Amino acid sequence: KFSFNYTFFLKLKMQKITTDINLAINSLKIGKLVAIPTETVYGLAGDALNEKAVKKIFILKKRPLHNPLILHISSYEKLREITKNVPFKAKKLAKKFWPGPLTLVLEKKNKVSNTVSAGKSTIAVRVPNHPLTLKLLNSIDFPLAAPSANPSGFISPTTAKHVSSFFKDGLDVILNGGLCSKGLESTIIGFENDNPILYRHGAIPISDLENCVGTIGKKIKDNLNPSSPGMFSRHYSPRTPIILINNLSKYIYQNKDKKIGVLSFENKEGFSLATKHEILSKNGDIDEAAKNFYSALHSLDSKNLDIIITTLLPEKGLGKTINDRLKRAVAN
Ligand code: AMP
Ligand code: MG
């Protein structure tokens, strides 16, 4: 006799944080979204050639329709299926840095819809370097459209838990691949007259890319003065108010009545009066700092603080990328 098993029903409905790629494959094949781990941040993935799945990504993220998605493919060989007229320097970069945190913006073929590209004739594409996700990509015959798995504007997720805290509904499967090894979004390179142009600072320092293909044009405004508002549109932001200041310990001393969270690069003196202190890297190692960056922000944001205070890092290598994210996090 049939009897309704409510616990079973709940289990079916519940979001699964899992390492079973078959659950992800089954969902993706029927046009559902899954969260995937990558070396940069977690992605909110759907079948890039399924218009309904692509639209779900924009809706779930509350992403503006004019902001295009990144396509994820399993290998360089798949590139020709979705792009055309690939410049020589793009090929060189792809061969050297894929799988890895490098996104190339290239002319798209018609099979990729204008929804994915937000009306542009180009698409952003990369091969992510994460064993679970590479295995997943090798098991499906479509590319994955996957922007970061956070609501538009918020802190990017670097653990499966970050993803589940953002999305209670609309996402059944979260593939758990541990803490993202790079912890910052990919570096984005576009091409104008076949010459490479930097579109976004990311997990590969620009100097590494220049060692491969020579000088890369820069379109990003590198304004170091964080007090000039409007230079950086708000993004990557915690819910807690956050400010950039030069002298952290002085601020703490002068604001003893406030619950202050400190996000600092290295371990320095003078923060003992702060309510909470996150150190990105005790020894000042920039790669370790990058890996811990979003995770530290998530942690501070969950502590009911009055304010988070932080300071810019040395402006070299990945310091440039972290500073870019910090300036956007504090922007209005
Ligand atoms: P996310 O995956 O959330 O890091 O966002 C994808 C990033 O890639 C956004 O900054 C997009 O603006 C950028 N992007 C995607 N497609 C293109 C394109 N065709 N041209 C320029 N930027 C792009
Ligand atoms: Mg994002």
Side-chain angles (χ1 to χ4, degrees):
K1 201 183 100 194
F2 175 79
S3 72
F4 186 73
N5 182 331
Y6 194 66
T7 328
F8 181 66
F9 173 73
L10 274 182
K11 265 197 189 140
L12 268 182
K13 279 278 302 171
M14 244 170 38
Q15 198 172 57
K16 289 187 190 71
I17 297 184
T18 177
T19 55
D20 181 357
I21 63 163
N22 290 317
L23 290 176
I25 293 168
N26 294 340
S27 287
L28 290 166
K29 280 188 174 161
I30 56 168
K32 288 187 166 190
L33 306 185
V34 305
I36 54 166
T38 80
E39 79 281 37
T40 62
V41 303
Y42 276 71
L44 183 62
D47 176 351
L49 305 179
N50 176 333
E51 196 63 3
K52 279 190 184 154
V54 171
K55 284 187 175 144
K56 277 183 201 162
I57 297 175
F58 282 94
I59 293 167
L60 192 58
K61 259 188 81 91
K62 297 195 174 72
R63 185 177 180 98
L65 289 169
H66 58 75
N67 194 358
L69 309 178
I70 295 179
L71 297 198
H72 293 70
I73 54 176
S74 58
S75 70
Y76 173 76
E77 284 66 42
K78 295 270 173 191
L79 190 60
R80 72 180 65 160
E81 291 177 18
I82 50 173
T83 62
K84 56 184 184 189
N85 305 332
V86 179
F88 172 72
K89 286 187 177 176
K91 286 181 187 156
K92 214 171 160 190
L93 286 169
K95 282 186 179 153
K96 168 115 186 154
F97 291 96
W98 285 356
L102 171 68
T103 296
L104 298 173
V105 175
L106 301 165
E107 278 181 53
K108 77 175 184 72
K109 281 193 174 160
N110 282 339
K111 73 191 274 193
V112 182
S113 78
N114 287 326
T115 313
V116 176
S117 72
K120 287 174 185 284
S121 59
T122 52
I123 45 160
V125 54
R126 80 180 190 100
V127 180
N129 192 11
H130 190 290
L132 259 190
T133 293
L134 277 176
K135 205 168 161 197
L136 170 66
L137 283 166
N138 275 307
S139 317
I140 52 181
D141 57 5
F142 47 85
L144 291 177
S148 53
N150 52 330
S152 211
F154 286 89
I155 312 168
S156 301
T158 52
T159 67
K161 257 198 159 159
H162 296 157
V163 181
S164 72
S165 73
F166 279 138
F167 300 109
K168 303 279 178 236
D169 297 310
L171 191 59
D172 303 336
V173 178
I174 299 175
L175 267 188
N176 189 355
L179 178 68
C180 300
S181 62
K182 297 286 178 190
L184 294 171
E185 289 82 358
S186 58
T187 306
I188 303 184
I189 300 289
F191 294 86
E192 289 174 16
N193 301 319
D194 288 354
N195 293 316
I197 311 275
L198 177 69
Y199 285 174
R200 175 176 77 182
H201 286 291
I204 303 182
I206 197 72
S207 51
D208 289 11
L209 302 176
E210 288 185 326
N211 283 340
C212 175
V213 289
T215 308
I216 291 176
K218 286 150 200 97
K219 284 230 149 155
I220 299 164
K221 294 193 181 88
D222 256 328
N223 189 336
L224 261 181
N225 178 6
S227 68
S228 54
M231 282 303 292
F232 296 94
S233 53
R234 190 170 173 84
H235 210 97
Y236 314 105
S237 305
R239 294 181 178 86
T240 316
I242 178 168
I243 54 168
L244 270 173
I245 44 181
N246 289 327
N247 194 330
L248 296 172
S249 45
K250 186 172 158 200
Y251 183 95
I252 298 165
Y253 188 75
Q254 290 173 343
N255 293 274
K256 292 194 193 94
D257 52 325
K258 284 188 187 162
K259 278 194 279 174
I260 300 173
V262 181
L263 180 70
S264 79
F265 175 40
E266 293 166 281
N267 195 9
K268 289 218 179 94
E269 304 290 301
F271 303 147
S272 56
L273 286 175
T275 306
K276 186 83 190 136
H277 181 198
E278 288 284 342
I279 307 158
L280 293 178
S281 167
K282 282 195 174 112
N283 308 318
D285 176 75
I286 195 75
D287 291 338
E288 188 185 20
K291 184 170 175 171
N292 292 329
F293 177 61
Y294 286 128
S295 195
L297 265 182
H298 276 285
S299 167
L300 289 171
D301 203 21
S302 69
K303 299 289 186 312
N304 282 314
L305 299 164
D306 295 323
I307 193 157
I308 298 169
I309 62 171
T310 183
T311 188
L312 291 177
L313 275 65
E315 185 70 16
K316 56 172 190 241
L318 289 183
K320 278 194 183 148
T321 304
I322 298 177
N323 288 346
D324 168 86
R325 305 302 190 261
L326 280 173
K327 285 182 259 182
R328 290 177 205 269
V330 303
N332 293 305

